[in-house]
């Protein structure tokens, strides 16, 4: 019996945020730390987007707005879905929130009742399961394997669905594995979903533009229009537009769901920052060529990191085709002892000892429900990536 809500005891703090915060604190205390833990581009926000924010500020766009977005931003989002995904949405089907995280939170909190199950691939982003738990629902993990490139197979999805399943959360390119599903891969999953008309789809397309090697992005309702009426297509500006700190995300889907999300948001944060929304209009309507330039850098960095990590003893690092993460397996390091005498029984032991002994911060696979592995974000300079991977090689080389 305590002061705090029981629901708080059922969830963990966001591990990606916790590790990044710890790395920042150690750095501030003078330790030599390389942090590859945060899921954010190291590139600055493009100048035209910053200018749009300054202009909005000077023009006095500083008042409350409609709770779930200004009409200009909703129009830009409607145009984006048509242009890039071939999806037809009306402005009344669009919801804008303070980051993709709030949009997901709204969708789940507005729909979950005790006993409802939410299927998600494992490994998956840290926040899905805990938001489901906060909403009173039960996360159900559908396992993926390194051998299948961490892509969910139709039979694993089929097995995870029960009469209680309310949502299936899908995420391609994936955080944390970088796995990208082709339209054909998605079709195999949507065929399963067509057999289960009670299951809704929450597709998290946050990493849509961060896709490499000539692969083409595909979104669920685009691949299977029959699922349009039970799909929430979510996206945001944090990653491709280098706007993590600005906090802007959005989704489109059936109107009753969008209204319910708006109702919830009207009793929590109200509208996302008015200034940021105007910057979002410019981000979506303005030039997009910087994305390809950034991606060329991400590809170079990915190749460097994958090659160097595969040279570390005990690690197996697949080469993903999207996002800015790699997800090496540490199966070969389990049971060994580090230089300072730590037995590596779990991936959490591995990342803790790595931070202590070599000053490299990465996130343990357990946080993503995918062990034993760890996530490296390669959204960092080539120089610091080389340094970090050299340290990881040394750490692994010292395991006995
Ligand atoms: N989905 C995924 C898969 C993510 O990695 C993130 C990242 N941080 C989000 C959603 C939420 O992003 P944000 O709240 O910054 O828009
Ligand atoms: N999503 C990013 C990550 O996975 C940012 C932190 C968070 O919100 O979890 O690192």
């Amino acid at each position: 019996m305590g002061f705090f809500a029981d629901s708080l005891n059922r969830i963990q703090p966001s591990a990606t945020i916790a590790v990044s915060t710890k790395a920042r604190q150690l750095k501030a205390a003078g330790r030599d730390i390389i942090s590859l833990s945060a899921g954010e581009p190291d590139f600055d926000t493009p100048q035209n987007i910053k200018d749009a924010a300054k202009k909005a500020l000077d023009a006095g766009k500083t008042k409350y707005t409609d709770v779930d977005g200004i009409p200009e931003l909703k129009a830009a989002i409607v145009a984006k879905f048509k242009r890039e995904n071939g999806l037809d949405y009306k402005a009344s089907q669009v919801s804008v929130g303070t980051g993709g995280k709030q949009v997901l939170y709204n969708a789940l909190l507005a729909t979950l009742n005790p006993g409802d199950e939410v299927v998600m691939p494992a490994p998956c982003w840290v926040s899905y399961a805990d938001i489901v738990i906060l909403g009173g629902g039960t996360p159900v993990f559908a396992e993926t394997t390194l051998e299948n490139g961490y892509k969910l197979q139709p039979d694993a999805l089929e097995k995870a669905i029960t009469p209680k399943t309310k949502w299936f959360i899908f995420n391609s390119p994936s955080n944390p594995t970088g796995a990208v599903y082709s339209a054909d891969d998605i079709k195999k999953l949507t065929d399963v979903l067509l057999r289960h008309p009670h299951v809704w789809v929450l597709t998290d397309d946050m990493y849509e533009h961060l896709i490499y090697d000539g692969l083409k992005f595909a979104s669920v309702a685009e691949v299977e229009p029959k699922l349009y009426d039970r799909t929430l297509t979510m996206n945001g500006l944090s990653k491709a537009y280098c706007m993590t700190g600005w906090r802007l995300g959005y989704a489109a889907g059936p109107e009753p769901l969008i209204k319910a999300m708006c109702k919830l948001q009207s009793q929590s944060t109200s509208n996302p920052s008015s200034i940021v929304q105007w910057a979002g209009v410019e981000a979506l309507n303005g030039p997009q060529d910087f994305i390809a330039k950034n991606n060329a850098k991400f590809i170079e960095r990915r190749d460097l990191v994958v090659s160097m990590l595969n040279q570390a003893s005990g690690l197996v690092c697949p080469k993903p085709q999207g996002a800015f993460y790699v997800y090496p397996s540490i199966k070969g390091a389990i049971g060994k002892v580090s230089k300072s005498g730590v037995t590596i029984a779990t991936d959490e032991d591995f990342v803790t000892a790595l931070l202590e002994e070599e000053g490299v911060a990465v996130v343990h696979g357990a946080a993503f429900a995918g062990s034993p592995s760890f996530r490296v974000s390669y959204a960092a300079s080539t120089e610091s990536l080389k340094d970090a991977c050299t340290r990881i090689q040394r750490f692994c080389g010292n395991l006995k």
Side-chain angles (χ1 to χ4, degrees):
M1 283 293 288
F3 176 66
F4 296 102
D6 292 343
S7 58
L8 208 62
N9 293 327
R10 293 196 287 269
I11 63 165
Q12 298 296 321
S14 164
T16 46
I17 293 177
V19 176
S20 308
T21 307
K22 185 169 175 196
R24 262 200 301 273
Q25 285 165 350
L26 290 172
K27 225 176 188 164
R31 286 271 314 267
D32 169 24
I33 301 289
I34 307 174
S35 180
L36 305 180
S37 54
E40 67 179 348
D42 53 324
F43 306 125
D44 198 2
T45 308
Q47 191 59 44
N48 63 308
I49 300 175
K50 291 185 184 176
D51 289 343
K54 290 180 191 164
K55 204 171 136 202
L57 199 52
D58 289 340
K61 307 283 191 196
T62 54
K63 310 290 187 201
Y64 291 132
T65 73
D66 287 347
V67 165
D68 63 357
I70 55 175
E72 292 82 353
L73 180 53
K74 288 190 176 183
I77 292 165
V78 166
K80 174 261 180 278
F81 279 126
K82 185 70 187 162
R83 180 177 72 238
E84 297 184 340
N85 311 106
L87 289 169
D88 286 303
Y89 288 113
K90 297 195 290 263
S92 56
Q93 290 179 277
V94 172
S95 185
V96 184
T98 303
K101 199 181 252 176
Q102 185 181 27
V103 174
L104 273 160
Y105 190 93
N106 286 344
L108 293 167
L109 270 280
T111 54
L112 291 178
N113 286 310
D116 286 345
E117 294 175 355
V118 178
V119 173
M120 57 197 81
C124 63
W125 181 42
V126 292
S127 293
Y128 297 149
D130 281 339
I131 296 175
V132 167
I133 291 169
L134 267 182
T138 306
V140 174
F141 296 108
E143 301 294 330
T144 68
T145 63
L146 184 145
E147 291 69 30
N148 282 324
Y150 291 116
K151 285 195 262 187
L152 182 62
Q153 301 301 299
D155 55 335
L157 174 60
E158 181 77 60
K159 257 198 260 160
I161 293 174
T162 76
K164 291 181 181 167
T165 308
K166 188 153 235 169
W167 287 100
F168 166 52
I169 302 183
F170 179 71
N171 174 224
S172 166
S174 151
N175 177 4
T177 66
V180 179
Y181 293 67
S182 67
D184 282 348
D185 295 331
I186 294 176
K187 185 77 180 64
K188 290 186 190 122
L189 298 177
T190 57
D191 284 349
V192 173
L193 294 164
L194 285 177
R195 292 199 289 276
H196 300 280
H198 65 292
V199 179
W200 281 58
V201 186
L202 204 172
T203 178
D204 178 344
D205 297 351
M206 188 57 83
Y207 295 89
E208 165 172 15
H209 295 291
L210 304 178
I211 196 160
Y212 316 124
D213 308 333
L215 251 67
K216 205 179 156 326
F217 176 81
S219 193
V220 172
E222 175 190 19
V223 172
E224 182 46 86
K226 288 193 198 114
L227 289 178
Y228 176 89
D229 288 334
R230 49 182 168 112
T231 296
L232 184 70
T233 307
M234 187 221 123
N235 211 316
L237 300 184
S238 287
K239 313 290 168 163
Y241 296 88
C242 312
M243 293 177 70
T244 45
W246 296 66
R247 314 305 303 128
L248 200 64
Y250 59 89
E255 226 175 270
L257 172 61
I258 297 298
K259 276 202 179 125
M261 290 162 64
C262 182
K263 181 175 174 184
L264 192 61
Q265 192 164 305
S266 78
Q267 293 294 21
S268 54
T269 57
S270 300
N271 61 276
S273 155
S274 53
I275 299 153
V276 171
Q277 290 189 67
W278 283 101
V281 173
E282 172 61 21
L284 292 174
N285 290 344
Q288 309 285 310
D289 50 322
F290 67 92
I291 295 176
K293 283 190 202 138
N294 291 350
N295 284 359
K297 296 210 184 91
F298 282 139
I299 291 169
E300 271 178 35
R301 295 164 173 190
R302 173 199 62 178
D303 293 349
L304 170 78
V305 169
V306 167
S307 155
M308 286 188 78
L309 292 182
N310 276 319
Q311 289 166 46
S313 85
L315 301 191
V316 175
C317 185
K319 185 171 176 168
Q321 296 186 293
F324 37 62
Y325 307 112
V326 295
Y327 201 68
S329 161
I330 64 155
K331 241 182 214 158
I334 293 294
K336 297 197 171 167
V337 179
S338 79
K339 192 175 68 181
S340 69
V342 175
T343 301
I344 310 296
T346 65
D347 49 29
E348 194 159 7
D349 297 336
F350 182 96
V351 303
T352 307
L354 177 65
L355 181 59
E356 205 42 59
E357 294 179 18
E358 293 288 351
V360 178
V362 294
V363 185
H364 48 295
F368 305 99
S371 290
S373 295
F374 64 94
R375 187 190 79 174
V376 172
S377 164
Y378 58 82
S381 71
T382 304
E383 197 187 327
S384 55
L385 289 172
K386 270 190 195 152
D387 189 357
C389 291
T390 304
R391 295 185 195 196
I392 294 172
Q393 286 176 350
R394 188 165 56 218
F395 177 80
C396 291
N398 282 332
L399 293 175
K400 292 276 155 22

